[in-house]
Amino acid sequence: MADESERAVQAAIDAELKLLDPEVRASRALVSDLLDSEFIEFGASGRRWDATSILAVTSAGSVDPESPVKVSEMSGVLLAPGVVHLTYFADNSGRRAWRSSLWRLTETGWRMYFHQATLTS
C-alpha cells in the first residue's frame, strides 16, 4: 500500500509541476490534458474558475517564461484510491500563496479536480 500511495502522490506532484511550467501553461491542449472536466478553482484573487475560464487565462501567457513560479514545501497524501491532496507554497514574482490541489485518477490519467490559493505575506 505504501508503494501505491507513494506512486500516486508522486504522479500528482509531477502533474502539478507540469501545470506550473510556463511552456505547458502556454498550451491550451497541454493544460486541458491536466484538468478534470469538473475542475473548479478558488483563486488567490477571490475569483471562482472552471476549466473553460482557466484555459482562456493560461493560454494567454499568465506565466512569464523568464520568471517561473518558485515552489517549496510541497507534500501530498493519498486520501482514497485515486484521490491525492497536495499542498505547497508558491512564489510567483513576489505574489506568495499557499496552494492546495485535489487530483483524481481518471481513465486518461491524473487530472486536477480542485485548486485553491490563499495569498500570504
Side-chain angles (χ1 to χ4, degrees), residues 17-104:
L17 292 174
K18 275 185 196 168
L19 268 179
L20 292 170
D21 182 301
E23 287 183 29
V24 171
R25 288 180 79 84
S27 166
R28 188 178 185 96
L30 292 176
V31 172
S32 186
D33 285 347
L34 293 166
L35 297 181
D36 193 272
S37 62
E38 297 177 40
F39 171 80
I40 295 294
E41 174 177 338
F42 297 135
S45 64
R47 182 170 172 189
R48 182 182 184 277
W49 304 85
D50 60 16
T52 303
S53 60
I54 208 77
L55 284 169
V57 171
T58 57
S59 60
S62 63
V63 176
D64 180 356
E66 302 301 313
S67 183
V69 176
K70 294 181 186 82
V71 173
S72 60
E73 300 181 54
M74 187 173 285
S75 65
V77 63
L78 183 67
L79 296 178
V83 180
V84 170
H85 179 223
L86 298 180
T87 58
Y88 60 98
F89 184 79
D91 185 333
N92 187 0
S93 302
R95 190 166 193 244
R96 300 155 47 96
W98 286 105
R99 296 187 169 268
S100 173
S101 299
L102 288 175
W103 287 84
R104 89 176 156 183

